[in-house]
Amino acid sequence: DQQVKQNSPSLSVQEGRISILNCDYTNSMFDYFLWYKKYPAEGPTFLISISSIKDKNEDGRFTVFLNKSAKHLSLHIVPSQPGDSAVYFCAASGDSGGSNYKLTFGKGTLLTVNP
Amino acid sequence: NAGVMQNPRHLVRRRGQEARLRCSPMKGHSHVYWYRQLPEEGLKFMVYLQKENIIDESGMPKERFSAEFPKEGPSILRIQQVVRGDSAAYFCASSPPGGSGTDTQYFGPGTRLTVL
């Protein structure tokens, strides 16, 4: 039973354009959401997060949008750069009796940004 | 500026042997988490430890797997009598002490375990 779903295994965009990565979740107890980026042979690197009390959080070229009613979040990267090419994982937490340490990850989306 | 360190990076074991994976958290961090990533899957939580304490091991398989984080030294994830299904990437993460529960977890590069 996958509680965090990233339905697009891969996404290809042109340099300079917008990349939109999507994530859906099923557990209504989740209240904190994160995006991690992962290069081959490395561990995940934290990118950006959002609490359920917000619907948008922005950090430079990265913006995360949260739609709680739809149980959907998305990561926008503008403008996309070749160095953004990596696997992006959506993660959620909050179903551990109020604690947010237990992250539940999606399967990831491979983003390729073409020069 | 050492991040989370894991060793070995690659580990090959035959069925029935023991695997020991080590994790040194970031300097100043006292919370350690272990995750497992099976092929084509996302990372799955295994265990959360603080110094000398197991806080949550709800993601650990009931048998053959154990974890510790001693007062001195790295955290150890131990898998006894490995089977082929244990082949995976094992990631360790750490976060600072006294956190609110939403502190960012910083991940190590992982140990890729292959069971022959």
Side-chain angles (χ1 to χ4, degrees):
Chain A
D1 176 31
Q2 230 191 320
Q3 299 185 70
V4 177
K5 299 177 184 178
Q6 294 178 256
N7 292 320
S8 297
S10 62
L11 174 68
S12 183
V13 300
Q14 210 61 31
E15 181 178 6
R17 306 294 290 268
I18 184 171
S19 295
I20 301 177
L21 297 104
N22 293 303
C23 177
D24 297 292
Y25 62 97
T26 57
N27 190 336
S28 57
M29 296 295 291
F30 288 145
D31 61 5
Y32 191 63
F33 304 89
L34 310 91
W35 285 93
Y36 280 84
K37 177 166 85 170
K38 185 180 180 303
Y39 293 117
E42 294 184 13
T45 302
F46 170 75
L47 263 181
I48 192 168
S49 62
I50 188 167
S51 165
S52 61
I53 61 173
K54 294 186 175 182
D55 55 18
K56 177 183 174 181
N57 189 25
E58 192 171 353
D59 184 1
R61 297 186 297 114
F62 302 92
T63 304
V64 55
F65 296 91
L66 175 62
N67 182 334
K68 278 197 305 180
S69 61
K71 293 192 179 69
H72 176 84
L73 63 155
S74 60
L75 175 68
H76 293 210
I77 307 173
V78 182
S80 302
Q81 300 173 354
D84 296 329
S85 298
V87 176
Y88 288 78
F89 288 100
C90 171
S93 66
D95 64 341
S96 303
S99 179
N100 283 339
Y101 59 78
K102 188 187 294 186
L103 300 180
T104 300
F105 283 82
K107 291 187 177 183
T109 296
L110 173 62
L111 172 66
T112 303
V113 180
N114 301 302
Chain B
N1 183 24
V4 178
M5 300 179 68
Q6 290 188 249
N7 66 82
R9 294 292 307 273
H10 300 273
L11 181 61
V12 179
R13 285 287 178 266
R14 296 192 180 279
R15 281 181 296 168
Q17 291 184 320
E18 179 181 287
R20 280 183 169 241
L21 289 65
R22 287 177 291 277
C23 168
S24 296
M26 283 182 73
K27 188 175 181 180
H29 286 191
S30 58
H31 298 195
V32 166
Y33 316 83
W34 285 93
Y35 291 82
R36 176 167 67 173
Q37 184 183 22
L38 295 170
E40 311 298 324
E41 297 288 326
L43 283 73
K44 288 193 166 36
F45 170 84
M46 299 181 75
V47 62
Y48 163 36
L49 310 106
Q50 296 177 15
K51 285 283 186 182
E52 300 185 281
N53 281 308
I54 297 174
I55 307 301
D56 182 349
E57 56 181 348
S58 59
M60 290 276 272
K62 294 285 185 279
E63 297 175 348
R64 303 186 298 108
F65 285 71
S66 62
E68 62 175 6
F69 188 17
K71 189 176 179 181
E72 301 291 337
S75 175
I76 306 285
L77 179 67
R78 183 180 176 209
I79 311 172
Q80 294 179 290
Q81 299 175 315
V82 296
V83 300
R84 289 216 174 102
D86 297 332
S87 295
Y90 292 82
F91 292 96
C92 168
S94 72
S95 66
S100 62
T102 56
D103 285 319
T104 299
Q105 294 179 22
Y106 295 87
F107 283 82
T111 293
R112 300 191 185 286
L113 172 66
T114 302
V115 180
L116 302 177

